[in-house]
Amino acid sequence: MIAISEEEFSRVKDLATASLLRYLRGRGWSPMRDYGRGQLWVLPVPDDTGEPYEVLVPLDRRPRDYADRMADLVETLSTVEARRPADVLREMSLPSADWQFLRLTPPGPSGTAPLTEVVPALAGLRDLMTAAAAAEAAPQPQPVQPAQKPQRVKDHVASVRLDQTRVGSYVVAVHTPLPETPAQELLFDDEPFREPFERRVSRRLYAALICAREAADLTLRNDELADFAPYVPAGLSANLCEALVKIGGDDGPGFSFDFTWSADLPLEQPTKPVRLARQQLEALDAGAKDLRARLGRRDMTLVGSVVRLHRELPHGPGAVTVAGSFEDRDDGRLRRVRTTLNQDDYGRAAEAHRRGDEVIVRGDLSALGNAPRMENSRLVAVRHVYD
């Protein structure tokens, strides 16, 4: 057992009881017996191979030995978790958050990883969080997400924090802070509780990981690429699959994700770790390519200027050519795209052409190459351009 230092001992005395109990619940501890001024909490040993761990939690701060009892508790937790008391104390002081643990298994000493593998993995982790947030923020999850993300998605990803690594190969600890008051003030007693966006994103991420593993397993079991489209409503997308592939690296053996949920917002069902091996990542890579090829051109957004108008009659639909680029594509390449708009949209496009304004057209890209075309198009906005 690692004894706490004098500095850590002084911090123990100021630790809020609510923070301590939240920390214990979040790591699987549960109260066993109440002694009035204290409670006995237990933690089952993995695989039920022995007696559970036990700690006595002091609830009354008035006794003189309160700080000593707290110090004993922190030392016990640091031993159980194989972490320094300072790390345990620091984490206890953090606000309510959901945690994700990315466990990499690179060659070499435990607790280390080659720089060339960690950097792509962290970039993939960022993309993964972005894909999960975009799926939750969208009215309906998309098989291929637009390159331009809503500000809400960007703000969420910016709030995600990296914590210190953990023991066991190379474990990247990530936590997403939850609002201090996750439940909105209810206007009526019978109004249903709505989880905060941050928790919904974490749940979406877990569901998408489960679906990714199932789609990959189905591909490997049948020895042919499964249709990933049925998993899209749960949050699976080409973007998410590509992020997982990036985390795994070129030749890595795979990785696993484990989730710990804030005790302030407990989940009824346990969430087991999700493991993805090299073969599964290869299946996900193929699935991402298939989603982009089959479904990646739907509901695309074209921004540009009207350069050509044509219709046979003075009323009705007409053909429009727009010189611009697709917001949904990463390359930003300028193209001349032809499409057909209904009577009202054609009139707005003609007026935008006369005024020199930009138009925003949304539709399905039916052909790319040298003569790109859009179908099922609609003019969603006209943007004035000022000199």
Side-chain angles (χ1 to χ4, degrees):
M1 182 177 296
I2 305 176
I4 68 174
S5 65
E6 290 295 330
E7 179 184 356
E8 293 160 358
F9 185 82
S10 64
R11 293 169 55 194
V12 161
K13 295 185 295 183
D14 299 327
L15 185 66
T17 303
S19 298
L20 169 61
L21 298 182
R22 180 173 63 206
Y23 181 91
L24 291 173
R25 290 194 190 96
R27 278 144 190 82
W29 294 81
S30 57
M32 175 64 69
R33 190 172 295 111
D34 194 330
Y35 293 106
R37 292 187 172 183
Q39 290 179 340
L40 179 68
W41 285 60
V42 296
L43 175 69
V45 175
D47 302 324
D48 296 326
T49 56
E51 293 295 322
Y53 298 110
E54 297 181 352
V55 291
L56 184 61
V57 180
L59 302 180
D60 189 348
R61 306 175 68 95
R62 292 174 297 177
R64 292 183 177 180
D65 65 346
Y66 172 79
D68 294 323
R69 302 287 72 78
M70 286 292 295
D72 292 340
L73 187 151
V74 171
E75 289 174 351
T76 300
L77 291 176
S78 68
T79 299
V80 171
E81 299 177 16
R83 302 169 62 200
R84 298 182 305 165
D87 296 336
V88 175
L89 272 173
R90 182 190 55 79
E91 198 166 308
M92 284 182 178
S93 303
L94 292 175
S96 177
D98 288 333
W99 290 76
Q100 296 88 39
F101 299 94
L102 168 61
R103 185 180 301 274
L104 305 173
T105 54
S110 178
T112 68
L115 181 64
T116 54
E117 294 187 19
V118 173
V119 172
L122 292 179
L125 186 59
R126 177 202 59 205
D127 295 346
L128 185 70
M129 298 297 177
T130 302
E136 182 58 36
Q140 183 176 352
Q142 300 170 290
V144 180
Q145 297 170 347
Q148 296 296 325
K149 301 299 190 295
Q151 188 61 43
R152 189 180 195 184
V153 172
K154 298 177 182 178
D155 292 343
H156 174 81
V157 176
S159 73
V160 177
R161 314 298 296 177
L162 284 181
D163 202 75
Q164 297 175 352
T165 56
R166 299 293 191 267
V167 175
S169 287
Y170 193 84
V171 181
V172 180
V174 182
H175 67 88
T176 303
L178 299 179
E180 292 185 5
T181 308
Q184 300 176 354
E185 294 184 5
L186 303 181
L187 299 177
F188 305 99
D189 292 339
D190 59 350
E191 184 176 342
F193 167 71
R194 181 165 176 80
E195 290 180 315
F197 179 72
E198 294 82 356
R199 163 55 65 84
R200 301 202 308 272
V201 171
S202 296
R203 285 165 59 91
R204 177 77 69 175
L205 174 60
Y206 183 77
L209 289 175
I210 293 294
C211 289
R213 185 179 62 186
E214 290 183 0
D217 287 343
L218 184 61
T219 295
L220 296 174
R221 187 164 56 249
N222 295 337
D223 198 25
E224 68 174 347
L225 183 62
D227 183 4
F228 282 29
Y231 300 98
V232 169
L236 186 66
S237 63
N239 309 68
L240 186 132
C241 292
E242 290 162 351
L244 293 172
V245 173
K246 185 183 293 186
I247 292 173
D250 295 333
D251 301 308
F255 53 85
S256 65
F257 268 99
D258 199 359
F259 287 70
T260 298
W261 309 92
S262 171
D264 290 344
L265 212 59
L267 291 184
E268 296 181 358
Q269 296 181 341
T271 49
K272 298 181 179 180
V274 181
R275 169 73 184 174
L276 292 171
R278 167 50 48 186
Q279 286 185 313
Q280 292 168 312
L281 293 175
E282 292 173 352
L284 292 177
D285 187 33
K289 290 182 172 63
D290 180 63
L291 284 176
R292 285 196 178 275
R294 292 190 299 116
L295 307 176
R297 297 178 178 178
R298 293 183 180 176
D299 199 27
M300 298 186 66
T301 302
L302 174 67
V303 179
S305 301
V306 177
V307 295
R308 186 177 180 183
L309 296 158
H310 175 75
R311 64 180 175 184
E312 299 293 338
L313 301 174
H315 55 79
V320 176
T321 301
V322 176
S325 60
F326 290 103
E327 284 188 348
D328 317 72
R329 301 185 72 88
D330 295 331
D331 53 16
R333 175 183 171 185
L334 293 176
R335 306 174 186 274
R336 295 171 66 93
V337 184
R338 294 180 297 169
T339 190
T340 299
L341 298 177
N342 64 28
Q343 176 173 304
D344 292 340
D345 285 350
Y346 184 89
R348 294 171 61 199
E351 179 64 15
H353 176 61
R354 185 185 67 81
R355 295 169 57 95
D357 293 334
E358 284 188 337
V359 295
I360 302 176
V361 179
R362 189 167 296 158
D364 301 333
L365 187 62
S366 60
L368 198 55
N370 296 326
R373 292 187 58 85
M374 292 181 70
E375 296 179 351
N376 306 316
S377 301
R378 60 199 183 280
L379 194 155
V380 297
V382 173
R383 191 154 57 195
H384 298 299
V385 178
Y386 301 96
D387 296 333

